[in-house]
Coordinates of all heavy atoms in Angstrom, one line a residue:
M1 N 26.3 -0.8 1.0 CA 26.5 -2.2 1.3 C 27.3 -2.8 0.3 O 27.2 -2.6 -0.9 CB 25.1 -2.9 1.6 CG 25.3 -4.3 1.6 SD 23.6 -5.3 1.9 CE 22.8 -4.8 0.5
V2 N 28.3 -3.6 0.8 CA 29.1 -4.6 -0.1 C 28.9 -6.0 0.5 O 28.5 -6.2 1.5 CB 30.6 -4.0 -0.1 CG1 30.8 -2.7 -0.8 CG2 31.2 -4.2 1.3
Y3 N 29.3 -6.9 -0.5 CA 29.3 -8.3 -0.2 C 30.7 -8.8 -0.2 O 31.3 -8.6 -1.2 CB 28.4 -9.0 -1.1 CG 26.9 -8.7 -1.1 CD1 26.4 -7.8 -2.0 CD2 26.0 -9.4 -0.2 CE1 25.1 -7.4 -1.9 CE2 24.7 -9.0 -0.4 CZ 24.3 -8.0 -1.0 OH 23.0 -7.7 -1.1
I4 N 31.1 -9.6 0.9 CA 32.3 -10.2 0.9 C 31.9 -11.6 1.2 O 31.3 -12.2 2.2 CB 33.2 -9.8 2.1 CG1 33.4 -8.2 1.9 CG2 34.5 -10.5 2.0 CD1 34.3 -7.6 3.1
N5 N 32.3 -12.6 0.1 CA 32.0 -14.0 0.1 C 30.5 -14.1 0.4 O 30.1 -15.0 1.2 CB 32.8 -14.8 1.1 CG 34.2 -14.9 0.6 OD1 34.6 -14.4 -0.3 ND2 35.1 -15.8 1.4
E6 N 29.7 -13.4 -0.2 CA 28.2 -13.3 -0.2 C 27.6 -13.0 1.1 O 26.4 -13.2 1.3 CB 27.8 -14.8 -0.6 CG 28.3 -15.2 -2.0 CD 27.4 -16.1 -2.8 OE1 26.2 -16.4 -2.5 OE2 27.9 -16.5 -3.8
K7 N 28.3 -12.5 2.0 CA 27.8 -12.0 3.2 C 27.7 -10.5 3.2 O 28.7 -9.8 2.8 CB 28.7 -12.4 4.5 CG 28.7 -14.0 4.7 CD 29.2 -14.4 6.1 CE 29.2 -15.7 6.3 NZ 28.0 -16.2 6.9
P8 N 26.5 -9.9 3.6 CA 26.4 -8.4 3.4 C 27.1 -7.7 4.5 O 27.1 -8.1 5.7 CB 24.9 -8.2 3.5 CG 24.4 -9.4 4.3 CD 25.3 -10.5 4.0
F9 N 27.8 -6.5 4.2 CA 28.4 -5.7 5.1 C 27.8 -4.3 4.9 O 28.0 -3.8 3.8 CB 29.9 -5.6 4.9 CG 30.7 -6.8 5.5 CD1 30.7 -7.9 4.7 CD2 31.3 -6.7 6.7 CE1 31.3 -9.1 5.3 CE2 32.0 -7.7 7.2 CZ 32.0 -9.0 6.6
Y10 N 27.2 -3.7 5.9 CA 26.6 -2.4 5.8 C 27.7 -1.4 6.3 O 27.5 -0.1 5.9 CB 25.3 -2.3 6.7 CG 24.2 -3.3 6.2 CD1 24.2 -4.6 6.8 CD2 23.5 -2.9 5.1 CE1 23.2 -5.5 6.3 CE2 22.5 -3.8 4.6 CZ 22.4 -5.1 5.2 OH 21.4 -5.9 4.7
E11 N 28.5 -1.7 7.3 CA 29.5 -0.9 7.8 C 30.8 -1.8 8.0 O 30.6 -3.0 8.3 CB 29.1 0.0 8.8 CG 28.6 -0.9 10.0 CD 28.0 0.2 11.1 OE1 27.5 1.2 10.7 OE2 28.0 -0.4 12.3
E12 N 31.9 -1.1 8.3 CA 33.1 -1.9 8.6 C 33.0 -2.2 10.2 O 32.6 -1.4 11.1 CB 34.3 -0.9 8.6 CG 34.7 -0.6 7.2 CD 36.0 0.2 7.0 OE1 37.0 -0.1 7.9 OE2 36.0 1.2 6.3
P13 N 33.2 -3.6 10.5 CA 33.2 -4.0 11.9 C 34.4 -3.3 12.7 O 35.4 -3.1 12.1 CB 33.3 -5.5 11.9 CG 33.2 -5.8 10.4 CD 33.4 -4.6 9.5
E14 N 34.1 -2.9 13.9 CA 35.2 -2.5 14.8 C 35.7 -3.5 15.6 O 36.7 -3.4 16.1 CB 34.6 -1.4 15.6 CG 34.2 -0.1 14.8 CD 33.7 1.0 15.7 OE1 33.8 0.9 16.9 OE2 33.1 1.9 15.1
R15 N 34.9 -4.6 16.0 CA 35.3 -5.7 16.9 C 34.9 -7.0 16.1 O 34.1 -7.1 15.2 CB 34.5 -5.7 18.1 CG 34.6 -4.4 18.9 CD 35.8 -4.4 19.8 NE 35.9 -3.3 20.8 CZ 36.6 -2.3 20.7 NH1 37.6 -2.5 19.7 NH2 36.7 -1.3 21.5
C16 N 35.7 -8.1 16.4 CA 35.5 -9.4 15.7 C 33.9 -9.8 15.9 O 33.5 -10.4 14.9 CB 36.3 -10.5 16.3 SG 38.1 -10.3 15.6
W17 N 33.4 -9.6 17.0 CA 32.0 -10.1 17.2 C 31.0 -9.4 16.4 O 29.9 -10.0 16.2 CB 31.6 -10.0 18.7 CG 31.5 -8.7 19.1 CD1 32.4 -7.9 19.8 CD2 30.2 -7.8 19.2 NE1 31.9 -6.7 20.1 CE2 30.6 -6.6 19.8 CE3 29.1 -8.0 18.7 CZ2 29.8 -5.5 20.0 CZ3 28.2 -6.9 18.8 CH2 28.5 -5.7 19.5
Q18 N 31.3 -8.3 15.8 CA 30.5 -7.5 14.9 C 30.6 -8.0 13.4 O 29.6 -7.7 12.6 CB 30.7 -6.1 14.8 CG 30.6 -5.4 16.2 CD 31.0 -4.0 16.3 OE1 32.1 -3.7 15.7 NE2 30.4 -3.1 16.9
C19 N 31.4 -8.9 13.1 CA 31.6 -9.4 11.8 C 30.9 -10.6 11.5 O 30.7 -11.5 12.3 CB 33.2 -9.8 11.6 SG 33.6 -10.4 10.0
P20 N 30.1 -10.8 10.4 CA 29.3 -11.9 10.0 C 30.1 -13.2 9.8 O 29.5 -14.2 9.9 CB 28.7 -11.5 8.7 CG 28.9 -10.0 8.5 CD 30.1 -9.7 9.3
F21 N 31.4 -13.0 9.7 CA 32.3 -14.2 9.7 C 32.6 -14.8 11.0 O 33.2 -15.8 11.2 CB 33.5 -14.0 8.8 CG 33.3 -13.9 7.4 CD1 33.4 -12.5 6.9 CD2 32.8 -14.8 6.5 CE1 33.2 -12.4 5.6 CE2 32.5 -14.5 5.2 CZ 32.7 -13.3 4.6
F22 N 32.3 -14.2 12.0 CA 32.8 -14.5 13.4 C 31.5 -15.5 14.0 O 30.5 -15.0 14.1 CB 33.0 -13.3 14.3 CG 33.6 -13.7 15.7 CD1 35.0 -13.9 15.8 CD2 32.7 -13.6 16.7 CE1 35.4 -14.4 16.9 CE2 33.3 -14.1 17.9 CZ 34.6 -14.4 18.1
F23 N 32.0 -16.6 14.5 CA 31.1 -17.5 15.2 C 31.7 -17.9 16.6 O 32.8 -18.5 16.6 CB 30.9 -18.8 14.3 CG 30.0 -19.8 14.9 CD1 28.7 -19.6 15.0 CD2 30.5 -21.0 15.3 CE1 27.8 -20.5 15.5 CE2 29.7 -22.1 15.9 CZ 28.3 -21.7 16.1
D24 N 30.8 -17.5 17.6 CA 31.4 -17.9 18.9 C 30.8 -19.0 19.5 O 31.3 -19.5 20.6 CB 31.2 -16.7 19.9 CG 29.6 -16.5 20.1 OD1 28.8 -17.1 19.6 OD2 29.4 -15.6 21.0
G25 N 29.9 -19.8 18.8 CA 29.4 -21.0 19.2 C 28.2 -20.9 20.3 O 27.7 -21.9 20.8
G26 N 28.0 -19.8 20.7 CA 27.0 -19.4 21.8 C 25.7 -19.2 21.2 O 25.5 -19.1 20.0
T27 N 24.6 -19.2 22.1 CA 23.2 -18.8 21.6 C 22.7 -17.6 22.5 O 23.4 -17.3 23.5 CB 22.2 -20.1 21.9 OG1 22.2 -20.3 23.3 CG2 22.8 -21.3 21.2
P28 N 21.7 -17.1 22.2 CA 21.2 -15.9 22.9 C 20.9 -16.3 24.5 O 21.2 -15.5 25.3 CB 19.9 -15.5 22.3 CG 20.1 -15.9 20.9 CD 20.9 -17.2 20.9
L29 N 20.5 -17.6 24.6 CA 20.1 -18.1 26.1 C 21.5 -18.5 26.7 O 21.5 -18.5 27.9 CB 19.2 -19.1 25.9 CG 17.8 -18.8 25.4 CD1 16.9 -20.1 25.3 CD2 17.2 -17.7 26.2
Q30 N 22.4 -18.9 26.1 CA 23.6 -19.4 26.6 C 25.0 -18.8 25.9 O 25.4 -19.5 25.0 CB 23.7 -20.8 26.8 CG 25.0 -21.4 27.7 CD 24.9 -22.8 27.9 OE1 23.9 -23.6 27.4 NE2 25.7 -23.4 28.8
P31 N 25.3 -17.5 26.1 CA 26.5 -17.1 25.3 C 27.8 -17.8 25.7 O 28.0 -18.2 26.7 CB 26.5 -15.6 25.8 CG 25.8 -15.5 27.0 CD 24.8 -16.7 27.0
N32 N 28.7 -17.8 24.7 CA 30.0 -18.4 24.7 C 30.8 -17.3 25.4 O 30.8 -16.1 25.0 CB 30.5 -18.8 23.5 CG 31.8 -19.5 23.6 OD1 32.4 -19.7 24.6 ND2 32.3 -19.8 22.5
R33 N 31.6 -17.7 26.5 CA 32.5 -16.6 27.2 C 33.8 -16.9 26.7 O 34.7 -16.0 27.1 CB 32.4 -16.9 28.6 CG 31.0 -16.8 29.3 CD 30.6 -15.3 29.5 NE 29.4 -15.4 30.2 CZ 28.3 -14.6 29.8 NH1 28.3 -13.9 28.8 NH2 27.3 -14.7 30.5
G34 N 34.2 -17.7 25.9 CA 35.6 -17.8 25.4 C 35.8 -17.3 24.1 O 35.3 -16.3 23.6
K35 N 36.8 -17.9 23.3 CA 37.2 -17.5 22.0 C 36.1 -17.9 21.0 O 35.4 -19.0 21.2 CB 38.6 -18.0 21.6 CG 39.7 -17.4 22.5 CD 41.0 -17.9 22.0 CE 42.1 -17.0 22.8 NZ 43.2 -17.0 22.1
G36 N 36.0 -17.3 19.9 CA 35.3 -17.6 18.8 C 36.0 -18.0 17.5 O 37.2 -17.7 17.6
H37 N 35.3 -18.4 16.5 CA 36.0 -18.9 15.4 C 35.7 -18.0 14.2 O 34.6 -17.7 13.9 CB 35.5 -20.2 14.9 CG 36.2 -20.9 13.8 ND1 35.7 -21.2 12.6 CD2 37.5 -21.3 13.7 CE1 36.4 -21.8 11.9 NE2 37.7 -21.8 12.4
C38 N 36.8 -17.4 13.6 CA 36.7 -16.7 12.3 C 36.6 -17.6 11.3 O 37.6 -18.2 10.8 CB 37.9 -15.6 12.3 SG 38.0 -14.9 10.6
L39 N 35.5 -17.6 10.5 CA 35.1 -18.6 9.3 C 36.0 -18.0 8.1 O 36.3 -18.7 7.3 CB 33.8 -18.5 9.1 CG 32.7 -19.1 10.2 CD1 31.3 -18.8 9.9 CD2 33.2 -20.4 10.6
L40 N 36.3 -16.7 8.1 CA 37.0 -16.2 6.9 C 38.4 -16.7 6.8 O 39.0 -17.2 5.8 CB 36.8 -14.7 6.9 CG 37.5 -14.0 5.6 CD1 36.7 -14.5 4.4 CD2 37.3 -12.5 5.8
F41 N 39.2 -16.6 8.0 CA 40.5 -17.0 8.1 C 40.8 -18.2 8.9 O 42.0 -18.7 9.0 CB 41.4 -15.7 8.6 CG 41.4 -14.5 7.7 CD1 40.6 -13.5 7.9 CD2 42.1 -14.6 6.5 CE1 40.8 -12.4 7.2 CE2 42.1 -13.6 5.6 CZ 41.4 -12.4 6.0
D42 N 39.8 -18.9 9.3 CA 39.9 -20.2 10.0 C 40.8 -20.0 11.2 O 41.9 -20.8 11.4 CB 40.4 -21.3 9.2 CG 40.3 -22.7 9.6 OD1 39.3 -22.8 10.5 OD2 41.1 -23.6 9.3
E43 N 40.5 -19.1 12.0 CA 41.3 -18.8 13.3 C 40.5 -18.6 14.4 O 39.3 -18.4 14.4 CB 42.2 -17.5 13.1 CG 43.3 -17.6 11.9 CD 43.9 -16.3 11.8 OE1 43.5 -15.1 12.4 OE2 45.0 -16.3 11.3
M44 N 41.0 -18.8 15.7 CA 40.3 -18.5 16.9 C 40.7 -17.1 17.5 O 41.8 -16.7 17.3 CB 40.7 -19.5 18.0 CG 40.3 -21.0 17.6 SD 38.6 -21.3 17.4 CE 38.1 -21.3 19.1
H45 N 39.6 -16.4 17.7 CA 39.9 -15.0 18.3 C 39.0 -14.7 19.4 O 38.0 -15.2 19.8 CB 39.3 -13.9 17.1 CG 40.2 -13.9 15.9 ND1 41.3 -13.1 15.9 CD2 40.1 -14.4 14.8 CE1 41.8 -13.1 14.8 NE2 41.2 -14.0 13.9
D46 N 39.4 -13.9 20.2 CA 38.7 -13.3 21.3 C 37.7 -12.4 20.7 O 38.0 -11.5 19.9 CB 39.6 -12.4 22.3 CG 38.9 -11.8 23.5 OD1 37.6 -11.8 23.4 OD2 39.5 -11.5 24.5
P47 N 36.5 -12.4 21.0 CA 35.3 -11.6 20.3 C 35.5 -10.2 20.6 O 34.9 -9.3 19.7 CB 34.0 -12.2 20.9 CG 34.4 -12.8 22.2 CD 35.7 -13.4 22.1
H48 N 36.2 -9.7 21.6 CA 36.2 -8.3 21.9 C 37.4 -7.5 21.4 O 37.4 -6.4 21.7 CB 35.9 -8.1 23.5 CG 34.6 -8.6 23.9 ND1 33.4 -8.1 23.6 CD2 34.4 -9.8 24.5 CE1 32.5 -8.9 24.1 NE2 33.0 -9.8 24.7
I49 N 38.2 -8.2 20.7 CA 39.3 -7.5 20.2 C 39.0 -6.6 19.1 O 38.0 -6.9 18.4 CB 40.6 -8.6 19.9 CG1 40.2 -9.3 18.7 CG2 41.0 -9.4 21.1 CD1 41.2 -10.2 17.9
N50 N 40.0 -5.7 18.7 CA 39.7 -4.9 17.7 C 39.9 -5.8 16.4 O 40.6 -6.8 16.4 CB 40.7 -3.8 17.5 CG 40.4 -2.6 18.6 OD1 39.3 -2.4 19.1 ND2 41.5 -2.0 19.0
V51 N 39.4 -5.3 15.3 CA 39.5 -6.1 14.0 C 41.0 -6.3 13.7 O 41.7 -5.3 13.8 CB 38.8 -5.5 13.0 CG1 39.0 -6.2 11.5 CG2 37.2 -5.5 13.2
P52 N 41.5 -7.6 13.4 CA 42.9 -7.8 13.0 C 43.3 -6.8 11.8 O 42.4 -6.4 11.0 CB 43.0 -9.2 12.7 CG 41.9 -9.8 13.4 CD 40.8 -8.8 13.5
R53 N 44.5 -6.4 11.7 CA 45.0 -5.6 10.6 C 44.6 -6.0 9.2 O 44.1 -5.2 8.5 CB 46.4 -5.4 10.8 CG 47.0 -4.3 9.9 CD 48.4 -4.1 10.2 NE 48.8 -4.0 11.5 CZ 49.9 -3.9 12.1 NH1 51.0 -4.0 11.2 NH2 50.2 -3.8 13.4
R54 N 44.7 -7.3 9.0 CA 44.5 -7.8 7.6 C 43.0 -7.6 7.3 O 42.5 -7.3 6.2 CB 44.9 -9.2 7.4 CG 44.2 -10.3 8.2 CD 44.7 -11.5 7.7 NE 44.3 -12.5 8.8 CZ 44.8 -13.7 9.0 NH1 45.8 -14.1 8.2 NH2 44.3 -14.4 10.0
C55 N 42.1 -7.9 8.4 CA 40.7 -7.6 8.1 C 40.3 -6.3 7.9 O 39.5 -5.9 7.1 CB 39.9 -8.2 9.4 SG 40.1 -10.0 9.6
G56 N 40.9 -5.3 8.6 CA 40.6 -3.9 8.5 C 41.0 -3.5 7.2 O 40.2 -2.6 6.5
K57 N 42.2 -3.9 6.7 CA 42.6 -3.6 5.2 C 41.7 -4.0 4.3 O 41.4 -3.5 3.3 CB 44.0 -4.2 5.0 CG 44.7 -3.7 3.8 CD 46.1 -4.4 3.8 CE 46.8 -4.0 2.4 NZ 48.2 -4.5 2.4
L58 N 41.2 -5.4 4.5 CA 40.1 -5.9 3.5 C 38.8 -5.1 3.5 O 38.4 -4.8 2.5 CB 39.9 -7.4 3.9 CG 38.7 -8.0 3.1 CD1 39.2 -8.3 1.7 CD2 38.4 -9.4 3.9
F59 N 38.4 -4.8 4.7 CA 37.1 -3.9 4.8 C 37.3 -2.6 4.2 O 36.4 -2.1 3.5 CB 36.8 -3.9 6.2 CG 36.3 -5.2 6.9 CD1 36.7 -5.5 8.2 CD2 35.8 -6.2 6.1 CE1 36.4 -6.6 8.9 CE2 35.4 -7.4 6.7 CZ 35.7 -7.6 8.1
R60 N 38.4 -2.0 4.4 CA 38.6 -0.6 3.9 C 38.6 -0.5 2.4 O 38.0 0.2 1.7 CB 39.9 0.0 4.3 CG 39.9 0.6 5.8 CD 41.1 1.5 6.2 NE 42.2 0.7 6.2 CZ 42.7 -0.2 7.2 NH1 41.9 -0.3 8.3 NH2 43.8 -0.9 7.2
K61 N 39.3 -1.6 1.7 CA 39.3 -1.8 0.3 C 37.9 -2.2 -0.2 O 37.5 -1.6 -1.2 CB 40.3 -2.8 -0.2 CG 41.7 -2.4 0.0 CD 42.6 -3.3 -0.6 CE 44.1 -2.8 -0.5 NZ 45.1 -3.6 -1.2
A62 N 37.2 -3.1 0.5 CA 35.7 -3.4 0.0 C 34.9 -2.1 0.1 O 34.1 -2.0 -1.0 CB 35.3 -4.4 0.9
F63 N 34.9 -1.3 1.0 CA 34.0 -0.2 1.1 C 34.6 1.0 0.2 O 33.7 2.0 0.1 CB 34.0 0.3 2.6 CG 32.9 -0.5 3.4 CD1 33.4 -1.5 4.2 CD2 31.6 -0.2 3.2 CE1 32.5 -2.3 4.8 CE2 30.6 -1.0 3.9 CZ 31.0 -2.0 4.7
Q64 N 35.6 0.9 -0.4 CA 36.0 1.9 -1.4 C 35.3 1.5 -2.8 O 35.4 2.3 -3.8 CB 37.6 2.0 -1.7 CG 38.2 2.7 -0.5 CD 39.7 2.6 -0.6 OE1 40.3 2.0 -1.5 NE2 40.3 3.1 0.5
M65 N 35.0 0.3 -3.0 CA 34.3 -0.2 -4.2 C 32.8 0.4 -4.2 O 32.3 0.8 -3.2 CB 34.2 -1.7 -4.1 CG 35.6 -2.3 -4.1 SD 35.7 -4.1 -4.0 CE 35.3 -4.6 -5.7
P66 N 32.3 0.5 -5.5 CA 31.0 0.9 -5.7 C 29.9 0.1 -4.6 O 30.1 -1.1 -4.5 CB 30.7 0.7 -7.1 CG 31.9 0.5 -7.7 CD 32.9 -0.1 -6.7
E67 N 28.8 0.8 -4.5 CA 27.8 0.3 -3.6 C 27.1 -1.0 -4.4 O 27.0 -1.1 -5.5 CB 26.6 1.3 -3.5 CG 25.4 0.8 -2.5 CD 25.9 1.0 -1.1 OE1 26.9 1.6 -0.8 OE2 25.2 0.4 -0.3
G68 N 27.0 -2.0 -3.6 CA 26.5 -3.3 -4.0 C 27.5 -4.2 -4.6 O 27.2 -5.3 -5.2
S69 N 28.8 -3.9 -4.5 CA 29.9 -4.6 -5.1 C 30.0 -6.0 -4.4 O 29.6 -6.1 -3.2 CB 31.2 -4.0 -5.0 OG 31.3 -2.8 -5.8
K70 N 30.3 -7.1 -5.1 CA 30.5 -8.3 -4.5 C 32.1 -8.8 -4.6 O 32.6 -8.8 -5.7 CB 29.7 -9.4 -5.3 CG 28.3 -9.1 -5.1 CD 27.4 -10.3 -5.7 CE 25.9 -9.8 -5.4 NZ 25.0 -10.8 -5.9
L71 N 32.6 -9.1 -3.5 CA 34.0 -9.3 -3.3 C 34.1 -10.8 -3.0 O 33.5 -11.3 -2.0 CB 34.5 -8.5 -2.4 CG 36.1 -8.5 -2.1 CD1 36.9 -7.9 -3.2 CD2 36.5 -7.6 -0.9
S72 N 35.1 -11.5 -3.5 CA 35.3 -12.9 -3.2 C 36.8 -13.0 -2.7 O 37.6 -12.6 -3.2 CB 35.1 -13.8 -4.2 OG 33.8 -13.9 -4.7
V73 N 37.0 -13.5 -1.4 CA 38.3 -13.8 -0.9 C 38.5 -15.3 -1.1 O 37.8 -16.1 -0.9 CB 38.2 -13.6 0.6 CG1 39.6 -14.1 1.2 CG2 37.9 -12.2 0.9
V74 N 39.6 -15.5 -1.9 CA 40.1 -16.8 -2.3 C 41.4 -17.2 -1.8 O 42.4 -16.3 -1.7 CB 40.2 -16.8 -4.0 CG1 40.4 -18.3 -4.4 CG2 38.8 -16.4 -4.5
Y75 N 41.4 -18.4 -1.4 CA 42.7 -18.9 -0.7 C 43.6 -19.8 -1.7 O 42.9 -20.5 -2.5 CB 42.5 -19.8 0.5 CG 41.7 -19.0 1.6 CD1 40.3 -19.1 1.8 CD2 42.5 -18.1 2.4 CE1 39.7 -18.4 2.6 CE2 41.7 -17.3 3.3 CZ 40.3 -17.6 3.5 OH 39.7 -16.9 4.4
S76 N 44.8 -19.9 -1.6 CA 45.6 -20.7 -2.4 C 46.6 -21.4 -1.4 O 47.1 -20.9 -0.5 CB 46.5 -19.8 -3.5 OG 47.3 -19.1 -2.9
E77 N 46.7 -22.7 -1.7 CA 47.6 -23.4 -0.9 C 48.9 -23.5 -1.5 O 49.2 -23.7 -2.6 CB 47.1 -24.9 -0.7 CG 45.8 -25.0 0.0 CD 45.4 -26.4 0.2 OE1 46.2 -27.3 0.3 OE2 44.2 -26.6 0.4
R78 N 50.0 -23.3 -0.6 CA 51.3 -23.3 -1.1 C 52.1 -24.6 -0.4 O 51.8 -24.8 0.8 CB 52.1 -22.0 -0.7 CG 51.6 -20.8 -1.4 CD 52.3 -19.6 -1.0 NE 52.3 -19.3 0.4 CZ 53.1 -18.4 0.9 NH1 54.0 -17.7 0.3 NH2 52.9 -18.2 2.3
N79 N 52.9 -25.1 -1.0 CA 53.8 -26.1 -0.4 C 55.0 -25.4 0.2 O 55.7 -24.6 -0.4 CB 54.3 -27.0 -1.5 CG 53.1 -28.0 -2.0 OD1 52.2 -28.2 -1.4 ND2 53.3 -28.4 -3.2
V80 N 55.1 -25.5 1.5 CA 56.2 -25.0 2.1 C 57.3 -25.9 2.5 O 57.1 -27.0 2.8 CB 55.7 -24.4 3.4 CG1 56.8 -23.6 4.3 CG2 54.6 -23.4 3.1

């Protein structure tokens, strides 16, 4: 298990809905049928798509680290 921004990952997610950072706004009694929000990258995604390339790259690198490692993803703002 590794931690990314303090959320535990036991294995690499294959779909967006399997990721702890994915929030679809639904509940077990009333699931959301539309897009969900990726809290890590602040984007809207279809829950059933394969994990985006940058997420897959992040997960592969995280799981190469020793067991129990804690990884923090930090954003920097650039003036464009």
Side-chain angles (χ1 to χ4, degrees):
M1 171 179 53
V2 296
Y3 294 90
I4 301 175
N5 287 6
E6 306 208 9
K7 293 197 185 261
F9 282 80
Y10 298 96
E11 59 186 23
E12 291 184 43
E14 294 179 13
R15 305 268 188 251
C16 281
W17 65 270
Q18 296 171 322
C19 180
F21 291 110
F22 186 78
F23 177 70
D24 69 356
T27 64
L29 297 176
Q30 187 172 8
N32 183 2
R33 303 274 186 232
K35 292 187 175 197
H37 185 247
C38 173
L39 301 172
L40 185 62
F41 291 108
D42 193 27
E43 294 178 344
M44 298 298 284
H45 288 276
D46 183 344
H48 301 290
I49 64 169
N50 291 335
V51 173
R53 190 177 309 172
R54 68 175 167 198
C55 295
K57 187 175 178 180
L58 172 71
F59 297 143
R60 280 190 297 280
K61 287 187 178 193
F63 279 96
Q64 290 175 357
M65 298 176 77
E67 187 75 17
S69 294
K70 294 184 178 183
L71 183 72
S72 294
V73 177
V74 181
Y75 301 101
S76 65
E77 293 184 25
R78 296 186 295 170
N79 293 332
V80 179

